[in-house]
Amino acid sequence: MTLQAEQIEKVFGQNGLSPVSLSLSEQQFICVTGESGCGKTTLLNILSGMLKPDCGSVRLDGRDIYRDLNETERARMRNSSIGYMTQGSSLLPELTVWQNIVCPQELYGRKTEEPQFWNWQNGLASPMWWIRTRRKYPAANTGGSCWQGCS
Amino acid sequence: MLTPNQFAWQSILKNRFCSLMFLCLVGIASACLFGVGFFNENLSSGIGQVKGRIGADLIAVPSSYDKAAKDALFAGDACTILFAENPEAQISQLDGISQVSSQLYLKTLAFSCCSTAGLQLIAFDPKTDFTVSKWTNDSIENLAADEMVVGACCGMKQGTSMNFYGQTFKVADVLDETGMGYDQSIFISYDAANQITSSPEYAVYFGERQNLSSMLLINTNSGSDIESLSRNLASSLDGISLYATDSLVSELKSQADYFRISGLVMDGFVIVLAVIALFALITITFYQRKKRVGSLLSVGISRGKIVQIFFLEYLYLTLLGTGAGIGIVSVFVIPLHQIIKQTVNMPYRLTDFGGLALLILAVCGVNLLILLISCSLTFAKILRTEPAHLTEEMT
């Protein structure tokens, strides 16, 4: 899977993102740094299909995600190919931790069993954390537990 | 498995205060809409029965008992009505008249001679009657002097006995509800009434006269101009007021239209207020939950699915609120319908099941429309705003 961005730009009044290009190949891990307000969040939002750029293109496996895909297809792309984590906690307070984890799948009728989750999570969650938190609502968990759920 | 339905219910239970406010707003609006509609339907149902129940083209009453006769017919206010001289024979010989039937209206007394005071006794002649017998079973044709047929709201069952003017009468039949004064009336034969009015103890109340009559029910020949016949009769007979049943019904419908229009105006205000209040509540709630919508979009839940979840949440609240509003009105209004009938002084009868079902559907339909209007801005925001702006990650 490859991700390519060419001359993407976004303007918000006096701030925004200056034209930037980048290319990511499979298994590649990068870190974007910069001072506050330089456009790091804007860049990530554009790359993940959450914010349309004013100009430029973003291609995932060769397909322009803003020109070749409609809104529903972009949502499906985010559901299957892109993981997005917000700066603040993004757990939904109406759902338990387990429901928060499985809602992207189960709302589309794809039931998820706990053994499947253990295969996916790949060591991110500890069994003790899981036993303590999975049936609780976010408000009943600690901040750290909530962050583990988000991740 | 987590479904949109389950998500919606969990949202309702998690946001209890907002859900309760939503329920109260919808409940109050539903109660007003249903209450007004129910009242107007019952009025229409009562007025719709009038022409058939009276069964005659014209009604003749003594002029001095004009108002008393109308109150007795429509509101059930019992009274004793007497012609100075029975004009039945005179009227039945006039041109254009096909049938005449006499009725005698006597009010029961608050003395020991009567089991209950304030009830309307209506004596009729089974041989000439063409109104009462249409609404009873065969027992009325051979109604004995010690039998009576009672209205639906007299509180008597078939077979029970009561005393009126020192005579014991047994209930032979109970009439269906009419919404008119007949519901609080007791029908006896003219023979029984003559025994009362000519008895030594009570003749003095009735002027010690024979051949008494209170009201004449008149049918005209087919094709007659009822209004002009009525004017001719009124001019040729002194001391008598004549009413065409169609005119009475038109007058009642005009009065009912006044209630209907007032009700529609009130409904209009209620709908506008409900739209404004729900629009504000739903929009403010959306802005509080904007980040959650962004989170759902960020994990790939489509906008359509998010709109579905929100819509289900508000739909369930609307249906619950509608049920609560209708239920509360029904619990209070249905048991009080006799008091309402006496207060409005018009024919008033509980509408049938079909009318009630249509009214409930209409209230649900109006509430759904209010819901759609109130959700419009919220759904537009969900469908159009970039996900990044909803997650509030952007400064």
Side-chain angles (χ1 to χ4, degrees):
Chain A
M1 188 174 281
T2 57
L3 180 69
Q4 283 171 311
E6 282 180 40
Q7 293 294 302
I8 51 173
E9 186 182 356
K10 185 75 179 176
V11 177
F12 299 109
Q14 293 183 343
N15 298 323
L17 179 71
S18 303
V20 65
S21 302
L22 62 85
S23 180
L24 298 171
S25 50
E26 194 145 344
Q27 302 290 331
Q28 194 171 358
F29 183 90
I30 66 167
C31 182
V32 177
T33 63
E35 52 187 47
S36 184
C38 69
K40 302 183 293 297
T41 305
T42 306
L43 173 65
L44 288 176
N45 281 326
I46 293 172
L47 291 178
S48 58
M50 297 270 286
L51 182 67
K52 192 172 176 186
D54 292 335
C55 52
S57 65
V58 178
R59 292 178 185 279
L60 182 67
D61 286 340
R63 292 184 78 189
D64 188 325
I65 67 173
Y66 290 105
R67 291 200 180 89
D68 297 343
L69 302 181
N70 60 29
E71 179 58 45
T72 306
E73 287 164 337
R74 266 202 299 283
R76 207 175 297 138
M77 175 202 76
R78 286 195 295 269
N79 190 269
S80 59
S81 308
I82 293 182
Y84 182 96
M85 192 162 155
T86 59
Q87 293 175 77
S89 171
S90 57
L91 292 181
L92 301 170
E94 300 92 346
L95 306 179
T96 62
V97 172
W98 172 245
Q99 286 174 330
N100 268 283
I101 291 168
V102 300
C103 92
Q105 302 300 320
E106 292 199 348
L107 282 178
Y108 285 101
R110 299 189 288 265
K111 183 147 175 63
T112 308
E113 303 291 350
E114 286 194 33
Q116 276 177 287
F117 167 71
W118 281 110
N119 289 337
W120 290 338
Q121 56 88 35
N122 204 22
L124 283 172
S126 73
M128 287 310 298
W129 169 84
W130 182 241
I131 291 164
R132 274 200 314 271
T133 62
R134 71 192 193 286
R135 302 284 176 224
K136 288 184 182 175
Y137 289 92
N141 280 319
T142 62
S145 295
C146 290
W147 273 111
Q148 280 197 294
C150 289
S151 63
Chain B
M1 191 164 84
L2 182 66
T3 59
N5 271 328
Q6 191 179 348
F7 198 140
W9 277 116
Q10 285 186 218
S11 288
I12 290 170
L13 294 172
K14 191 72 184 164
N15 304 300
R16 283 194 192 122
F17 181 76
C18 287
S19 300
L20 190 60
M21 289 300 106
F22 197 108
L23 271 175
C24 289
L25 283 169
V26 175
I28 291 168
S30 302
C32 290
L33 293 172
F34 181 73
V36 166
F38 189 57
F39 175 76
N40 284 322
E41 280 297 307
N42 291 344
L43 263 185
S44 291
S45 177
I47 292 170
Q49 294 268 308
V50 167
K51 188 168 177 182
R53 288 291 179 166
I54 292 175
D57 296 327
L58 290 169
I59 301 170
V61 296
S63 301
S64 52
Y65 291 95
D66 245 351
K67 187 178 177 313
K70 279 186 184 171
D71 289 344
L73 265 180
F74 301 133
D77 291 343
C79 57
T80 297
I81 302 173
L82 295 171
F83 277 112
E85 214 174 290
N86 189 345
E88 182 180 1
Q90 196 179 352
I91 290 175
S92 55
Q93 284 164 12
L94 295 173
D95 288 337
I97 305 296
S98 68
Q99 282 174 294
V100 181
S101 182
S102 175
Q103 289 182 350
L104 182 62
Y105 276 54
L106 304 175
K107 180 179 174 181
T108 60
L109 302 177
F111 299 136
S112 57
C113 61
C114 296
S115 298
T116 311
L119 282 180
Q120 183 74 67
L121 290 178
I122 302 177
F124 68 100
D125 184 355
K127 294 188 194 65
T128 62
D129 171 73
F130 53 86
T131 58
V132 180
S133 50
K134 276 199 311 194
W135 301 100
T136 63
N137 62 26
D138 293 340
S139 65
I140 200 133
E141 287 178 12
N142 300 311
L143 196 68
D146 62 347
E147 285 182 331
M148 60 182 174
V149 173
V150 301
C153 302
C154 291
M156 298 180 215
K157 290 183 191 166
Q158 203 165 352
T160 53
S161 294
M162 300 282 267
N163 276 347
F164 298 115
Y165 289 95
Q167 292 195 28
T168 302
F169 293 91
K170 194 167 135 187
V171 178
D173 198 5
V174 180
L175 295 173
D176 291 333
E177 189 178 357
T178 64
M180 297 169 62
Y182 293 148
D183 294 336
Q184 289 89 27
S185 300
I186 296 167
F187 295 87
I188 58 175
S189 66
Y190 240 108
D191 289 340
N194 284 337
Q195 281 177 25
I196 292 168
T197 58
S198 58
S199 67
E201 300 97 321
Y202 306 113
V204 64
Y205 292 115
F206 308 110
E208 292 177 323
R209 289 177 287 142
Q210 300 294 315
N211 195 20
L212 295 174
S213 176
S214 306
M215 185 182 289
L216 295 177
L217 300 165
I218 303 164
N219 262 350
T220 59
N221 289 333
S222 175
S224 301
D225 182 348
I226 295 171
E227 288 295 332
S228 73
L229 191 61
S230 166
R231 280 194 298 273
N232 291 342
L233 282 171
S235 60
S236 60
L237 298 165
D238 287 332
I240 291 176
S241 293
L242 276 153
Y243 297 101
T245 310
D246 286 343
S247 299
L248 275 177
V249 171
S250 292
E251 197 181 307
L252 288 169
K253 281 184 180 170
S254 296
Q255 290 173 25
D257 281 345
Y258 170 77
F259 284 113
R260 187 177 295 278
I261 290 167
S262 304
L264 283 174
V265 169
M266 192 176 114
D267 280 349
F269 275 120
V270 166
I271 289 170
V272 167
L273 284 173
V275 166
I276 291 171
L278 285 175
F279 185 90
L281 183 63
I282 290 171
T283 307
I284 289 169
T285 306
F286 165 71
Y287 279 106
Q288 289 175 339
R289 293 156 79 174
K290 206 166 67 158
K291 194 172 175 183
R292 298 173 207 178
V293 174
S295 296
L296 287 169
L297 286 170
S298 72
V299 296
I301 309 297
S302 68
R303 295 178 194 271
K305 187 68 75 177
I306 296 171
V307 166
Q308 182 190 3
I309 292 167
F310 269 77
F311 181 72
L312 283 173
E313 182 183 337
Y314 295 133
L315 179 66
Y316 294 146
L317 287 169
T318 299
L319 291 173
L320 284 171
T322 304
I326 291 173
I328 286 169
V329 167
S330 302
V331 160
F332 284 106
V333 169
I334 290 176
L336 295 176
H337 92 275
Q338 287 300 329
I339 295 173
I340 295 169
K341 185 166 112 180
Q342 283 160 13
T343 308
V344 298
N345 216 26
M346 290 174 68
Y348 183 87
R349 178 176 168 266
L350 284 180
T351 187
D352 59 16
F353 181 74
L356 191 63
L358 276 173
L359 180 62
I360 290 171
L361 280 173
V363 171
C364 289
V366 168
N367 281 347
L368 280 173
L369 191 61
I370 292 173
L371 174 66
L372 287 171
I373 296 170
S374 305
C375 290
S376 54
L377 180 65
T378 296
F379 290 168
K381 290 273 183 193
I382 293 171
L383 291 170
R384 292 190 173 173
T385 310
E386 297 261 30
H389 291 298
L390 291 170
T391 55
E392 295 178 352
E393 297 278 280
M394 311 293 300
T395 54

